[in-house]
Amino acid sequence: MNKKLIAIAIAGALAAPLAAQAEVSIYGTMDVSVESFNNDCDACTGTAPAGLALLDSSGDDSSVAASSNSSNIGFKGAEDLGGGMKAIWQAEAGVNVTDKNGGGNGWATRNTFVGLAGGFGTVIVGRHDTPYKTLGRKVDFFVNGIGDTRTLTNTDGQDARTDNTIAYITPNMNGLSAVIAYVTDVRGNATDDSNNDAYSFSINYANGPLFVGVANQKISEDALGGNADAEATRVAASYKFGGLKVAGSWQSDKAVGAIDGADRDSWGLGAAYTMGNNTIKAQYYNMDELDNVNDSGATKWAIGFDHAMSKQTTLYAAYAAVSNDDNSAIGVTGNGDGHGDTGPGSWVGTDGVNVYGGMTDPGGSPSAFSVGIKHKF
């Protein structure tokens, strides 16, 4: 047989099973910014906060930093199984653009799962953001930037991406949908322990310019090493009037850190106005004090400007500031807010009984200014 015909036959035989495979889509976000931080931190340069003896300090009170803002790359696909059913999968990894040793890199560290989808809805198993976390992301105008709301709203770690997650998403019923997730082991141990489980669910309604959602989440006390289950409830909404979009949320955290009696509420409002390729935005969030710790609240506000150079590329600038009560030391970024850099300050101190630490002094007012570029592909 002609050698060319043999080669064509072999190539065709090899290509046949490949043609049966579903196509793979590649997607991601590269989001890099440069910040000027002021951490309002006397302890960072050696002066202890009031009432504390300084044990250790490092860094400066202010600096310039580059951040990767949860940059990521992912692969996803689907296979038609017939009868209106398909198999779906996704593998997503964090990419630290600015610092190879700064964390965030690693294969399939972000939302990664396999599942089935059809007229019944969608079922997935793997690693994924909880429905509670996803709801909060829908109403934040500064996601992963210095103005991200999680600096205040995630002090309990409830805005989580959990391993060992089984989730069901209902079909969309005239704008109404729900997501239910069960986490078999929050700690991600090789041998699952039902005492370390969690559940999370949300009910959402989206119709035209209106979005409303409510979510609840509970993490077992054993998973957090405390004496009570940590539970959080969140309500969020947004509405769009032409070029103006307003959004806000309220949440109630029970047993913060799995400590009975450590309860607090948080709330916030934001708005964005788009004019052609430009968007002006602002938001304000308030975290009440813990019921068992006086003067432990804080507020955060942010303003920003986005310029869309195309559908995929945006230049932006933002300013954010935090104001702490006397017994609160929350930095302008941190608490898993996705930003990637918290500025220069750090300190450890003691009152003779307990050991404390933070990026700013108790009662401090840290701030930051950021400029960056975001490209989605």
Side-chain angles (χ1 to χ4, degrees):
M1 182 182 293
N2 187 287
K3 291 182 178 180
K4 289 185 177 180
L5 293 177
I6 294 175
I8 292 172
I10 294 174
L14 293 174
L18 294 176
Q21 298 296 318
E23 291 186 3
V24 176
S25 298
I26 302 175
Y27 67 94
T29 301
M30 293 296 178
D31 184 351
V32 177
S33 60
V34 177
E35 285 84 31
S36 173
F37 282 96
N38 180 356
N39 277 3
D40 192 17
C41 182
D42 290 338
C44 299
T45 55
T47 302
L52 298 180
L54 188 66
L55 299 179
D56 187 28
S57 64
S58 61
D60 299 315
D61 187 45
S62 60
S63 76
V64 175
S67 299
S68 190
N69 305 298
S70 293
S71 295
N72 60 82
I73 185 170
F75 305 83
K76 61 183 178 180
E79 180 188 13
D80 188 353
L81 301 176
M85 185 179 295
K86 60 183 178 180
I88 59 173
W89 65 272
Q90 176 176 298
E92 186 175 295
V95 179
N96 194 317
V97 182
T98 58
D99 183 0
K100 67 179 182 179
N101 298 314
N105 297 310
W107 174 245
T109 54
R110 293 171 59 86
N111 292 345
T112 301
F113 57 84
V114 66
L116 293 172
F120 58 87
T122 302
V123 177
I124 62 172
V125 179
R127 178 182 305 107
H128 205 278
D129 293 342
T130 65
Y132 178 87
K133 175 184 177 181
T134 301
L135 177 59
R137 303 295 75 214
K138 292 180 180 295
V139 294
D140 192 337
F141 291 107
F142 293 83
V143 173
N144 298 327
I146 60 170
D148 194 298
T149 61
R150 286 173 293 179
T151 310
L152 296 190
T153 62
N154 192 37
T155 56
D156 197 22
Q158 291 280 12
D159 281 316
R161 176 181 297 118
T162 51
D163 297 338
N164 306 307
T165 301
I166 305 165
Y168 168 66
I169 304 100
T170 70
N172 189 309
M173 299 165 284
N174 297 319
L176 185 66
S177 63
V179 186
I180 303 170
Y182 176 69
V183 183
T184 63
D185 188 347
V186 174
R187 290 181 175 177
N189 295 327
T191 302
D192 287 342
D193 185 347
S194 60
N195 291 327
N196 296 327
D197 64 354
Y199 77 78
S200 180
F201 74 87
S202 68
I203 300 174
N204 306 298
Y205 178 74
N207 190 349
L210 175 66
F211 170 80
V212 179
V214 60
N216 180 265
Q217 183 164 292
K218 181 181 287 187
I219 303 176
S220 67
E221 61 183 80
D222 289 344
L224 298 176
N227 60 6
D229 292 342
E231 184 174 3
T233 301
R234 172 176 285 158
V235 179
S238 66
Y239 194 85
K240 192 171 183 179
F241 310 83
L244 176 65
K245 182 179 180 180
V246 295
S249 70
W250 169 88
Q251 71 183 54
S252 174
D253 289 290
K254 304 295 184 183
V256 172
I259 303 301
D260 189 30
D263 305 337
R264 69 161 31 122
D265 294 340
S266 302
W267 62 271
L269 295 170
Y273 184 68
T274 300
M275 304 165 289
N277 294 336
N278 301 312
T279 299
I280 301 171
K281 56 188 182 180
Q283 66 186 17
Y284 172 88
Y285 269 72
N286 177 80
M287 179 186 73
D288 291 344
E289 66 180 17
L290 289 165
D291 287 351
N292 61 346
V293 181
N294 292 330
D295 296 324
S296 57
T299 61
K300 181 178 184 178
W301 62 272
I303 56 174
F305 175 79
D306 297 345
H307 173 68
M309 303 188 71
S310 69
K311 290 184 178 180
Q312 295 175 273
T313 303
T314 300
L315 299 177
Y316 62 86
Y319 178 84
V322 171
S323 179
N324 287 285
D325 290 348
D326 290 344
N327 292 319
S328 176
I330 292 176
V332 71
T333 66
N335 291 325
D337 61 9
H339 177 57
D341 202 302
T342 56
S346 63
W347 58 272
V348 179
T350 181
D351 60 5
V353 178
N354 300 304
V355 175
Y356 303 88
M359 303 306 299
T360 186
D361 294 341
S365 298
S367 61
F369 175 74
S370 173
V371 293
I373 179 170
K374 179 189 295 185
H375 177 76
K376 294 183 178 181
F377 59 92

